Every structure is written in structure tokens, then in C-alpha cells.
Amino acid sequence: MTGPHAFRAELLSVPEDPAQGGTVRHHADGLMVVEQGVVVAFGDHADLAPRFPGVAVERLPGLVVPGFVDTHIHYPQTDRIAAYGGQLLEWLERHIFPAEAAFADRGHADAVAGFFLDELLRNGTTSALVFATVHAISVDALFEAALVRNMRIVSGKVLMDLGPESLRDSVESGRTESEALIARWRGRGRLGYAVTPRFALTSSDEQLAGAGDLVAAHPDVLMHTHLAENMGEIAAVADRFPTALDYLDVYDRFGLVGPRSVFAHCVHMEDRALARMGLAGSSIAFCPTSNLFLGSGLFDLARADAHGVTVGIGTDVGAGTSFSLLATLGEAYKVGQMRGTGLDPFRALHLATAGGARALGLGGRIGGLLPGQEADFVLLDPAATPLLARRTAGADLREKLFALQILGDDRAIARTYVAGHCAWRRPA
Ligand code: GUN
Ligand code: ZN
């Protein structure tokens, strides 16, 4: 479909953060016009329809919001979601490293990548920053599958020369394989590359320095890692780097803290480190279901806000317990309650869409359904279950959105559109 086509529905997007004065764009009877995968108009049907005579209009029954952006997830951990027992370091050894070793096999990687991306679409997620494994072919498998689906996926080979024997690269192989992947995939489809040291404990100083060199050499790549998730992890980092000011400072010393850096978790952070992140323009992936599942702790969104740090939402599957960003927002609200702040439902939607896009350096392209942005969107069904139908009957927009976040999950995703094309449709 190359000519313009239009969707008539209730439309909602939150392109700017309401915590910083951003307004909610809502059109109860809206029209969104799409041409060649890009939004050309988004507004009231009554205003826009006369401007687009003759354009085919499809009615969508439900609430249209931007496609969700998952700022931190591990595709090779798909088959280890809901693995019982242990906090971070023990859970990695017991459940995760053995599962990741299987990605030395390309056929296995292809099969999991296909299932994983389809699961994202089923959950309304159209863009994601994704951990692969140490194997370069795990990235090829994911990118090839994403290319077929035209999804916005950012990923990279994991650097871990101090990892377990079955998952170790070397300073040299980590660098050359990363360079080769960047060269092989640059400019293809809607893909992006992230230099991905697993975390400070699994890379040598030389490899961390090499990661910094890669980020400096390639202005179009992101840096993606874990930071300050678990107390045992933090103690081990302090042991190994006794002169570092804190955990963030370890990454900083190797040139890994900048505006293209995305740090997952950041549960236990000093004010100094948050201030440094704010100044550097780095982003945090807030992963509430994972932080609860592994007993890592309660992320402090208000403190990140106070330091001006960009925040997106991550599911962090397999430590995360759901692919659904709706369900993840429900848990983010509960973490906010434990912190005494809650989480406004419009802000929550912003964090899971435009906020996440900004964290990934894609704020101009996706997340807001603004004219000129890519037409990735989701049709939400506020009556997806008997309970949701009962709770949202007669509800106003805010109540309906909140109910979807607290009670909703994949069942509430009626359709997912990628660049204006329907990529997932819930069976009748
Ligand atoms: N830190 C280092 N590796 C991992 C991982 O795979 N999952 C989580 N949650 N934290 C990590
Ligand atoms: Zn993770």
C-alpha cells in the first residue's frame, strides 16, 4: 500500500513527558492518516476528513496508542522465563548461562528469534533494545527475523571475556565480531546496533576499554549494559574496582557513560551517579517485574527525575515475568506505591512509548504518532476480558487507561501495526 490510507478510531498519544509539562493528545473520534508507513496527520476526524477526500478509511474498534518500546529485554532468555529460585548472580549461573550456551547453534537461535519477535508483536511491542548472546550468529538470527517483520530492533553481540567458559569471547574476538556486525547490519531495515558489555563483572578492563573505543568510533551505535541491580553484584564490583567512586564510575572510566548509553535497572544508585547520568544524557531502563522477581529492589523514579535522567520501561525477560508492557506498567505503579509516589497512567504510557523511544535515541522517529513519525501503533481493547469490560464501562479516559495497565496484558492487544501494516491480529 503506497498511497495514503487512514484509520478512524479513538486516538491517544503522550509524546512529551507529562512530568515536564507534556500534554496528552486525545481524540475521541480521531483520524490518523498514514502514507508509506509514516504518519501524515493525527487529529479529530471532523477536522481532518475534509483535508483527505477520497482516502480509504478503516474504522478500528478500540483505543489506538503508539506501539510499545521495550528498552531492555533478552531474547535468548525467552525459554527461561519463570525459572525458580535464586537472586541475580545465582540465577544467572543456574538458569541463564546454560540456556545462552545453546545459541552457538544457528538453528536454535533462528527458532527462538522468530518466536520472540512474534511474542513482542502479540504484546503490542514494535521496538526494543535487545540483549543477544556472546555469539555473533545470535545477532544475525535476531536481525534477520526483525528485517522480515520490519520491526525497529536494536541489538548487539554480548561482550563477556570473563564469562563462564561456555560463553567467553576474548578482547580481540569481541572487538572484531562487533565491528563486523556493525558493518554487516548498518543501514538495513529499521535495525540498530548496540555495543553490549554484559556488565562490569563479566568483562576485563581491556574489554571494557575496547567497548568504549567502539562506541567512540561509531556515532550511530548505542551502549547497552546492566548497572546497580543487586547488592551482591554491587559488592563484587566494589571489590574489583576499589578506586572507583561507585559502579557507574567503573563504566565512566572506560568511556561508556554518554548520551547513547542505556543502563538497565539502576536500583541502588548514589545521588552522585544519578547526577552524572543526568549530565551525560544517559538513560535508565526501569524493569519492575524483573526487579521484583529477582528480589533486586525498588527503583526510585522520583530520584531519577530529580536528576533529569531519561527513563524508559524494560520487561527484562527472562528475569522479567511478562512480555507485556501493559502488565509491566501495572508493576511500575505498585513499585511507585511502595515508594509513596504511584505512577500517573498518562505518564506511564509516555514512558512505555515516547519516553522509551527517547532513551533509545529514536525520539524523532517513533513513540508519539506525530506527523513525520513512523506509524507503529497498537489497538487496545478496553473490554478484552469480562472484568476489564465491567471495570471500563462508562469509565473516563484516565480510568480506562489505568485499568488497562493494572488488569491488561496480551489479551488487551487487539491488533499491532508496524509502519502502517497490521502485523498482529488477535484471533476472533
Ligand atoms: N546482569 C548481567 N546479566 C544479566 C542478565 O542476564 N539479566 C539480568 N537481569 N541482570 C544481568
Ligand atoms: Zn537484563
Side-chain angles (χ1 to χ4, degrees):
M1 210 172 342
T2 51
H5 54 291
F7 302 92
R8 184 173 180 177
E10 181 175 3
L11 304 177
L12 172 66
S13 94
V14 192
E16 302 295 334
D17 193 342
Q20 292 172 34
T23 54
V24 171
R25 292 164 55 102
H26 177 241
H27 304 279
D29 180 13
L31 191 73
M32 178 167 57
V33 185
V34 174
E35 186 164 12
Q36 292 189 325
V38 172
V39 176
V40 294
F42 180 102
D44 277 330
H45 176 265
D47 295 340
L48 290 180
R51 279 179 42 201
F52 295 93
V55 169
V57 177
E58 185 182 352
R59 273 186 186 267
L60 299 179
L63 176 65
V64 166
V65 299
F68 297 127
V69 180
D70 190 336
T71 58
H72 180 71
I73 185 166
H74 298 249
Y75 99 83
Q77 298 177 13
T78 300
D79 293 328
R80 284 292 171 274
I81 193 170
Y84 178 85
Q87 291 206 347
L88 175 64
L89 299 178
E90 186 193 341
W91 171 85
L92 284 173
E93 295 281 348
R94 198 196 308 174
H95 299 297
I96 296 307
F97 291 152
E100 292 193 6
F103 284 71
D105 178 64
R106 176 65 196 259
H108 178 68
D110 285 333
V112 177
F115 178 89
F116 169 83
L117 292 176
D118 289 342
E119 192 64 13
L120 291 188
L121 292 171
R122 248 173 39 73
N123 281 277
T125 299
T126 49
S127 299
L129 176 58
V130 184
F131 256 72
T133 65
V134 71
H135 315 94
I137 57 164
S138 75
V139 179
D140 291 323
L142 180 68
F143 279 167
E144 279 183 18
L147 204 54
V148 171
R149 293 165 179 79
N150 198 26
M151 294 171 74
R152 262 212 180 278
I153 296 295
V154 183
S155 187
K157 178 208 126 50
V158 178
L159 300 167
M160 45 190 301
D161 66 333
L162 299 183
E165 216 169 306
S166 59
L167 283 174
R168 234 177 251 170
D169 57 1
S170 67
V171 173
E172 182 55 19
S173 71
R175 191 184 60 76
T176 55
E177 289 178 13
S178 299
E179 287 280 13
L181 284 164
I182 292 168
R184 182 146 74 244
W185 289 101
R186 175 172 278 142
R188 294 178 68 184
R190 303 172 73 201
L191 307 173
Y193 196 83
V195 173
T196 310
R198 181 170 210 122
F199 64 161
L201 295 179
T202 41
S203 285
S204 64
D205 290 21
E206 295 72 21
Q207 187 168 64
L208 291 171
D213 293 342
L214 280 169
V215 174
H218 298 288
D220 56 336
V221 309
L222 298 186
M223 199 294 297
H224 184 199
T225 191
H226 297 91
L227 172 62
E229 175 177 5
N230 164 281
M231 296 308 281
E233 169 208 17
I234 291 166
V237 170
D239 252 14
R240 183 174 143 199
F241 300 96
T243 63
L245 300 174
D246 47 44
Y247 194 161
L248 181 77
D249 192 46
V250 172
Y251 292 130
D252 219 351
R253 290 175 179 207
F254 295 107
L256 296 171
V257 178
R260 292 178 276 130
S261 304
V262 181
F263 295 97
H265 305 292
C266 303
V267 174
H268 308 282
M269 295 286 285
E270 305 297 332
D271 278 319
R272 187 214 74 84
L274 285 170
R276 169 69 186 130
M277 289 183 80
L279 277 176
S282 301
S283 301
I284 294 174
F286 170 22
C287 306
T289 75
S290 166
N291 296 341
L292 294 169
F293 181 75
L294 290 179
S296 302
L298 305 174
F299 175 67
D300 194 339
L301 179 59
R303 266 200 325 127
D305 288 345
H307 291 284
V309 185
T310 299
V311 175
I313 304 289
T315 60
D316 193 31
V317 165
T321 54
S322 174
F323 276 78
S324 168
L325 277 165
L326 287 176
T328 305
L329 293 177
E331 298 308 289
Y333 174 80
K334 295 173 197 170
V335 169
Q337 288 291 72
M338 293 299 293
R339 288 273 184 201
T341 58
L343 178 59
D344 172 80
F346 293 111
R347 178 158 202 231
L349 179 63
H350 168 79
L351 293 177
T353 55
R358 183 165 170 223
L360 305 194
L362 295 168
R365 295 188 172 186
I366 56 169
L369 296 176
L370 296 169
Q373 291 192 340
E374 294 159 0
D376 293 343
F377 58 94
V378 179
L379 180 65
L380 298 177
D381 177 5
T385 68
L387 181 61
L388 261 170
R390 196 175 170 89
R391 182 63 185 87
T392 60
D396 67 12
L397 175 65
R398 181 187 181 79
E399 237 184 328
K400 184 163 72 178
L401 185 62
F402 187 58
L404 280 162
Q405 292 166 5
I406 298 300
L407 302 173
D409 51 29
D410 55 326
R411 295 167 296 177
I413 308 298
R415 299 188 204 177
T416 303
Y417 285 77
V418 171
H421 291 277
C422 188
W424 158 254
R425 190 177 185 138
R426 194 179 56 188

